[in-house]
Amino acid sequence: MIRSTLLCSAALALCASAATAQNFGGWATLSFGQDVYNNADDPTDSDYDNATATVIGFSGSVGGSFGAFGMQLDANTESSGDTDEPGYAASTYTLHANYRMANYAFGIFGGKATNNENTDSDDGEVEFYGIEAAAEFGDFHVAGQFGQASHENSHSSLDYNNYGFAIVEGHYYLQNGMTVFGNIGYGGGQVHGDNMNLTQVEIGLTTPLGSTGVLGSASIRHANVSGDDGSINQTRFMLGLTIPFGGAIRDVRRDSTPMINSNLPATVAVFTEVTD
């Protein structure tokens, strides 16, 4: 309850202060793609083994700097599959507060997520918090997060408290306007009292679409989930359109939204449901 109140209060403060920010901007991405599942540990008892699901997602960040201080608000929502088909829906909201020194930023973050899996009707809520940092090195932007997450589910056998997660993300800006990006992340959870571990690796490319200001993107992400109660692989192929505002995407990431757009805690919680 306290974390939720702080999150809402800080979000209102960010909106109210936007007009006085030295830098204020953000970006929004609409994406479409497909999830491919395989190597479930028990194919005869898994709806997900060798299954595919269409994915639609939205993500965005808005933020600003006020002298040496900065704030950032993230939103993510994604859905895959359909009712009674392999897939899930999840939404995440995160607030960041950071302090900047030259090309570096250090901060804290906290957020909430909701998630539900289609075939078993598992409905969950996740709360998470942690510390983070970001830096600019020439044409390279790098950011990292480390935190803890707790999950409460309609099936209490999927509940867990204070499990760690960590992710590092990088963007490399090419001279022709393209950007190569990628991340590597890890998160822990619990299924039926047994530990579950998720690792993910993602790589992608964005490119300007003429002089429209819109960016097109393509990416591939591979996630491996393993634990005593089940394991599975997921490979995600995505295409997206990104609209930056308040400047070019490179400037927005440096000056307004330097931190990782948080979604990993929700992904971990979803896979406790998938492997249930």
Side-chain angles (χ1 to χ4, degrees):
M1 181 66 180
I2 294 176
R3 291 178 197 158
S4 302
T5 302
L6 290 173
L7 182 64
C8 293
S9 300
L12 291 173
L14 174 61
C15 295
S17 303
T20 62
Q22 292 178 331
N23 296 289
F24 186 79
W27 54 269
T29 296
L30 181 66
S31 54
F32 176 84
Q34 190 168 63
D35 286 339
V36 179
Y37 300 89
N38 56 50
N39 293 335
D41 66 337
D42 186 0
T44 62
D45 192 37
S46 175
D47 295 319
Y48 285 85
D49 195 53
N50 298 319
T52 60
T54 299
V55 187
I56 298 175
F58 168 82
S59 61
S61 291
V62 61
S65 59
F66 313 85
F69 295 94
M71 297 182 70
Q72 177 180 325
L73 181 66
D74 304 335
N76 290 278
T77 181
E78 61 183 49
S79 62
S80 64
D82 204 346
T83 304
D84 298 325
E85 294 180 354
Y88 57 85
S91 296
T92 312
Y93 303 94
T94 312
L95 183 74
H96 312 253
N98 55 74
Y99 182 80
R100 298 154 184 262
M101 297 183 295
N103 293 332
Y104 301 90
F106 304 90
I108 58 175
F109 66 96
K112 295 192 70 172
T114 59
N115 50 281
N116 70 287
E117 189 269 333
N118 294 343
T119 61
D120 287 336
S121 299
D122 295 324
D123 297 317
E125 290 190 354
V126 182
E127 289 192 354
F128 57 93
Y129 60 94
I131 59 175
E132 59 188 349
E136 294 277 338
F137 302 101
D139 293 326
F140 190 62
H141 176 93
V142 62
Q145 290 181 344
F146 173 79
Q148 291 188 324
S150 298
H151 180 217
E152 291 187 2
N153 197 274
S154 55
H155 293 178
S156 59
S157 61
L158 304 181
D159 292 354
Y160 55 84
N161 291 310
N162 299 322
Y163 269 66
F165 65 93
I167 184 169
V168 177
E169 179 179 278
H171 293 81
Y172 183 71
Y173 302 104
L174 304 175
Q175 297 303 312
N176 58 4
M178 292 184 177
T179 303
V180 178
F181 65 89
N183 67 67
I184 181 169
Y186 163 84
Q190 195 173 76
V191 181
H192 298 162
D194 297 321
N195 290 332
M196 185 206 78
N197 300 290
L198 178 145
T199 56
Q200 72 171 41
V201 178
E202 181 178 20
I203 189 169
L205 178 73
T206 66
T207 184
L209 300 181
S211 58
T212 63
V214 178
L215 305 171
S217 65
S219 64
I220 179 172
R221 185 191 77 184
H222 180 75
N224 171 261
V225 181
S226 61
D228 295 334
D229 201 68
S231 61
I232 197 168
N233 291 331
Q234 181 206 66
T235 303
R236 170 171 288 187
F237 305 91
M238 298 294 284
L239 298 174
L241 295 173
T242 297
I243 301 176
F245 54 91
I249 188 66
R250 178 174 182 172
D251 298 328
V252 168
R253 282 207 180 94
R254 180 191 64 222
D255 299 327
S256 305
T257 61
M259 300 304 181
I260 293 174
N261 182 276
S262 306
N263 201 38
L264 185 57
T267 302
V268 174
V270 160
F271 273 97
T272 66
E273 300 169 348
V274 169
T275 57
D276 179 16

